[in-house]
Amino acid sequence: MAKTGVFDSDPTVMAKATELKKELQKLVRLIVDDVDYRTETIDQARDTLCALKELKTKKRSLSLKLHETVSCPEEFKCPLSKELMRDPVILASGQTFDRPYIQRWLKAGNRTCPRTQQVLSHTILTPNHLIREMISQWCRSQGIELPNSVQYINEEGITEADRDHFLSLLKKMSATLPDQTEAAKELRLLTKRMPSFRALFGESHDAIPQLLSPLSESKCKNGINPNLQEDVITTLLNLSIHDNNKKLVAETPMVIPLLMDALRSGTIETRSNAAAALFTLSALDSNKEVIGKSGALKPLIDLLDEGHQSAMKDVASAIFNLCITHENKARAVRDGGVSVILKKIMDGVHVDELLAILAMLSTNHRAVEEIGDLGGVSCMLRIIRESTCDRNKENCIAILHTICLSDRTKWKAMREEESTHGTISKLAQDGTARAKRKATGILERLKRTVNLTHTA
């Protein structure tokens, strides 16, 4: 029989251990699957592994087995579990429950009080410190050890001590600069290391404004501390990873403007993480619209133009995600995206990612004109001829097909390429299914024009 360890015997430790293992598994998968993975991902994996090790070696508190000793007063029992409450909280109805059991009730979609059936005006849970203290006193009188708030973990991996510490850190964000700097750095580490801390931001509409208050205040005073800005923006990125936070973060009025400010100034890590935050938030279609309307594409394109290697992938990913919508394509073209992207492609910079964006933009008429005017036809043909990447060839021929349909003046260059190298014919035979269709479409159009010329 396998040896039973701390993780197997203590459900409270198991909750946090499971959370850490899931996070570690996700990070390792990113490192293994992504050739161009970020060094920060390795740091996150290392920190998560250290947290798991720390949890494994931490001494377990004595188990609470009241059923083997003495019955507890009814008022100390959770109405749902019928057991002694370890973390009593007050529901909107005014009734008190043990946190993990009422959370499970709410998580199942219930929006009524399980005791009174009253419809709840909100689902915020307030710690019942009075009952908690009364339970502690009773336990001491009975010689029973009640796990303290640091050791007691709910199913989301959050302890009452975690929650109190989180609120104290947010309070420091409105204090002196040294306090703000210290709190921001710790929030950055906590939201990076513990996914459960990201979820805490979704429990209150005031949490994100409190986090960002130093930046909005400094902006008014014209002096943002670069280290403070980096920690706050990175914390914003970390909590945006939590799916339930995405809508709340993007729709908090000061978020997108401050991310746009961060794209324009600050350390290169701040700028890169601001782009990564926009990429993460844009996973929601509704957020794509919010971010696009805010004007965030322009600073993203400007940062892409600057060409900082460490920021390029995050910026390109954000632009790609945003430009999935028709309105944002038009905004990107208007903000100079085509010329910046095409120049980078011609310089051989992040060709894979940028070709995908250019192919997406090529459904916009103005973009097609710009690609043709800026030498895009010869560039696309050269990539098809020289590249070994099927996806890049597919994107190039898709762009050329759109140009072929809208600009007859570019047919000559395509005919000459075909005559000299047979580039398009080869792709029509050996390319992906989509590339074959696009290449065949171009060849048929070029052939018809030749026949018409001979007939004339």
Side-chain angles (χ1 to χ4, degrees):
M1 182 182 290
K3 186 176 179 181
T4 301
V6 173
F7 288 176
D8 300 318
S9 58
D10 190 336
T12 62
V13 177
M14 286 174 65
K16 188 160 270 186
T18 300
E19 177 192 21
L20 287 168
K21 287 178 180 179
K22 286 180 180 178
E23 180 72 2
L24 182 62
Q25 187 177 41
K26 183 180 75 173
L27 292 167
V28 171
R29 191 179 296 117
L30 283 173
I31 295 169
V32 172
D33 294 345
D34 191 348
V35 177
D36 193 21
Y37 57 85
R38 301 172 64 186
T39 55
E40 188 180 3
T41 307
I42 298 177
D43 293 338
Q44 284 181 272
R46 182 191 61 206
D47 291 344
T48 306
L49 198 58
C50 288
L52 192 61
K53 181 180 178 182
E54 182 181 336
L55 189 64
K56 179 73 173 175
T57 56
K58 191 175 180 181
K59 287 185 178 181
R60 176 164 54 100
S61 66
L62 294 175
S63 297
L64 182 63
K65 298 180 179 178
L66 288 173
H67 63 279
E68 295 178 1
T69 54
V70 62
S71 296
C72 67
E74 287 298 316
E75 61 267 28
F76 294 164
K77 291 182 180 180
C78 173
L80 291 173
S81 69
K82 309 302 180 186
E83 297 175 358
L84 182 71
M85 291 185 284
R86 301 187 188 190
D87 189 5
V89 292
I90 304 170
L91 196 59
S93 63
Q95 300 294 314
T96 296
F97 300 86
D98 204 5
R99 186 186 295 276
Y101 293 96
I102 192 61
Q103 280 187 326
R104 197 171 296 132
W105 169 269
L106 296 172
K107 199 170 183 179
N110 298 301
R111 289 300 177 265
T112 58
C113 173
R115 196 168 193 178
T116 67
Q117 303 307 312
Q118 176 185 337
V119 177
L120 302 174
S121 58
H122 60 79
T123 58
I124 296 173
L125 303 175
T126 306
N128 193 329
H129 295 297
L130 177 61
I131 291 294
R132 168 78 191 186
E133 181 56 31
M134 291 171 66
I135 291 173
S136 297
Q137 289 178 5
W138 180 82
C139 285
R140 284 194 293 271
S141 72
Q142 299 296 322
I144 300 167
E145 182 181 350
L146 180 70
N148 62 40
S149 58
V150 175
Q151 294 166 318
Y152 184 71
I153 306 168
N154 65 28
E155 64 179 13
E156 298 292 338
I158 289 291
T159 68
E160 191 54 44
D162 289 336
R163 200 177 303 274
D164 290 342
H165 185 49
F166 170 72
L167 294 174
S168 71
L169 290 174
L170 287 181
K171 189 174 180 180
K172 283 185 177 180
M173 296 303 286
S174 300
T176 63
L177 180 59
D179 283 341
Q180 290 175 345
T181 304
E182 179 188 348
K185 188 171 291 296
E186 189 166 356
L187 282 168
R188 173 180 179 172
L189 291 173
L190 286 171
T191 52
K192 169 186 175 182
R193 187 172 168 179
M194 299 299 297
S196 51
F197 266 84
R198 302 169 194 162
L200 284 174
F201 279 90
E203 292 187 3
S204 168
H205 286 282
D206 296 329
I208 296 173
Q210 282 180 276
L211 169 70
L212 300 177
S213 60
L215 299 190
S216 54
E217 290 168 5
S218 299
K219 184 180 176 183
C220 296
K221 296 175 183 176
N222 248 341
I224 295 179
N225 180 289
N227 293 326
L228 177 60
Q229 183 190 35
E230 182 179 311
D231 287 334
V232 170
I233 293 299
T234 307
T235 302
L236 197 60
L237 164 62
N238 292 341
L239 66 95
S240 297
I241 294 170
H242 191 73
D243 286 342
N244 292 340
N245 286 344
K246 293 185 191 300
K247 185 175 177 63
L248 175 64
V249 172
E251 293 182 357
T252 299
M254 63 179 72
V255 167
I256 306 302
L258 287 176
L259 285 175
M260 290 167 62
D261 289 339
L263 288 171
R264 299 186 183 101
S265 61
T267 67
I268 189 57
E269 186 170 359
T270 299
R271 303 173 78 187
S272 178
N273 287 344
L278 289 171
F279 165 65
T280 303
L281 293 171
S282 63
L284 292 184
D285 287 342
S286 59
N287 286 354
K288 290 181 178 70
E289 182 180 357
V290 171
I291 296 168
K293 284 183 176 179
S294 299
L297 277 161
K298 183 65 168 73
L300 280 170
I301 291 167
D302 289 343
L303 183 52
L304 182 69
D305 192 24
E306 289 182 35
H308 295 284
Q309 191 59 34
S310 58
M312 291 288 281
K313 188 166 186 178
D314 288 323
V315 173
S317 298
I319 294 173
F320 179 87
N321 244 19
L322 290 169
C323 287
I324 289 173
T325 70
H326 178 73
E327 294 79 10
N328 283 341
K329 287 177 192 175
R331 292 183 179 109
V333 174
R334 182 195 63 210
D335 291 334
V338 172
S339 60
V340 171
I341 291 168
L342 189 55
K343 183 178 184 302
K344 295 296 178 188
I345 292 172
M346 289 176 173
D347 292 340
V349 177
H350 284 273
V351 173
D352 298 4
E353 294 90 344
L354 297 182
L355 265 178
I357 298 173
L358 196 64
M360 191 181 295
L361 295 180
S362 68
T363 59
N364 178 278
H365 181 70
R366 180 176 167 185
V368 173
E369 291 180 350
E370 286 191 44
I371 294 170
D373 294 342
L374 294 170
V377 172
S378 59
C379 176
M380 298 302 110
L381 290 168
R382 176 183 57 78
I383 292 173
I384 294 172
R385 192 169 61 246
E386 299 175 357
S387 177
T388 58
C389 175
D390 287 341
R391 184 61 187 274
N392 287 353
K393 292 180 180 182
E394 181 181 305
N395 283 326
C396 285
I397 201 66
I399 294 168
L400 289 172
H401 184 264
T402 306
I403 294 173
C404 183
L405 293 176
S406 61
D407 189 352
R408 296 171 63 96
T409 65
K410 302 299 182 291
W411 292 2
K412 181 181 178 182
M414 296 185 199
R415 274 198 296 264
E416 289 175 353
E417 174 73 22
E418 182 61 21
S419 176
T420 305
H421 301 285
T423 303
I424 304 174
S425 295
K426 290 175 184 175
L427 195 59
Q429 292 178 348
D430 305 327
T432 64
R434 180 169 177 250
K436 286 179 180 179
R437 289 198 307 273
K438 299 295 183 182
T440 301
I442 292 174
L443 290 172
E444 289 175 352
R445 186 165 289 268
L446 294 179
K447 185 177 179 181
R448 281 202 302 271
T449 58
V450 171
N451 290 338
L452 286 172
T453 303
H454 288 164
T455 302

